[in-house]
Amino acid sequence: MKIFLDTANIEEIKKGVAYGVVDGVTTNPSLLAKENKGFIPLIEEILSIVPGPVSVEVTATEADEMVKQAREYAKISENVVIKVPINFEGLKVVKTLADLDIKTNVTLIFSTSQALLAAKAGATYVSPFVGRIDDISGNGMALVEDIMQIYDNYTFDTEVIVASVRHPLHFVHAAMMGAHIATIPFSTLSKLLDHPLTDIGIQRFLEDWKKVKK
Ligand code: G3P
């Protein structure tokens, strides 16, 4: 399973890439707003650090305007993936961008029917928001399982990015379901590695090493 970092924070991205486990980055307007930096320079900086796809979201609401924004962003780098919201305008954009060979990440997916239509329109990726479904007492990972099943039934090439990840179990279940990608906040990446027995073990080995005759 590929790991994308769901952040626009340069320090977090640098750390994740240095760990050798980050395959890409996803951003959205809310994540960009936290950084208080110029939008295009920030995206360019992220692209210069990350050796893979970087999702950048369009913010227009009409298809023609969204395509215009998408074409501008896609010019920056071939690693730019255009994030498009799932609605009828968004579907038109996905189809147009697929014809132009521009990759898309269809976002705000909350149902299997949305994921099926996005794939039919030619989406490169879809992003089911599992945490936000759990927040309203739904089952976000069950949605991922259903989408994987549907894509498998019809051999769609669209890849599933498990998004709105809140904790390591989301990540582990995504891998068990064979999801293609999990996009995770940096805080979750840290939690994936933490284990008290590892910390105790390292401490004990270091103490015993002091007692070894050298
Ligand atoms: O990738 C989607 C993600 O940014 C949404 O996460 O935590 O705002 O639901 P969250």
Side-chain angles (χ1 to χ4, degrees), residues 10-194:
I10 294 297
E11 293 316 309
E12 291 181 350
I13 293 168
K14 278 185 180 163
K15 280 188 203 165
V17 169
Y19 297 153
V21 294
V22 169
D23 302 292
V25 160
T26 50
T27 69
N28 63 36
S30 309
L31 293 171
L32 291 167
K34 284 188 199 163
E35 300 308 315
N36 202 19
K37 288 183 175 178
F39 164 52
I40 296 291
L42 179 54
I43 294 298
E44 284 172 341
E45 196 175 354
I46 294 171
L47 284 158
S48 73
I49 302 165
V50 180
V54 174
S55 289
V56 183
E57 190 154 342
V58 289
T59 49
T61 50
E62 305 292 324
D64 289 351
E65 279 303 306
M66 284 195 254
V67 168
K68 216 157 124 192
Q69 286 184 327
R71 295 184 78 150
E72 280 305 306
Y73 303 160
K75 271 191 223 154
I76 302 172
S77 159
E78 60 180 20
N79 276 346
V80 168
V81 173
I82 304 300
K83 232 174 173 185
V84 182
I86 183 69
N87 55 27
F88 285 116
E89 290 300 292
L91 283 182
K92 287 194 267 180
V93 174
V94 170
K95 165 81 178 97
T96 305
L97 297 183
D99 291 343
L100 292 168
D101 252 347
I102 295 175
K103 293 191 173 73
T104 52
N105 172 0
V106 180
T107 189
L108 292 162
I109 295 282
F110 292 100
S111 73
T112 44
S113 53
Q114 291 176 330
L116 177 54
L117 292 184
K120 282 191 73 77
T124 317
Y125 306 101
V126 289
S127 290
F129 276 25
V130 297
R132 292 194 195 183
I133 294 175
D134 292 358
D135 287 345
I136 56 160
S137 304
N139 184 344
M141 292 313 298
L143 172 62
V144 173
E145 196 165 25
D146 290 347
I147 295 171
M148 295 298 297
Q149 174 72 62
I150 290 169
Y151 284 5
D152 192 46
N153 288 348
Y154 299 104
T155 59
F156 282 116
D157 291 333
T158 305
E159 295 193 5
V160 176
I161 303 179
V162 177
S164 183
V165 165
R166 298 279 161 76
H167 49 71
L169 261 190
H170 279 148
F171 178 87
V172 171
H173 286 161
M176 288 169 71
M177 288 171 189
H180 307 86
I181 300 141
T183 188
I184 59 178
F186 189 80
S187 55
T188 303
L189 179 64
S190 308
K191 286 180 195 153
L192 294 181
L193 212 55
D194 284 348

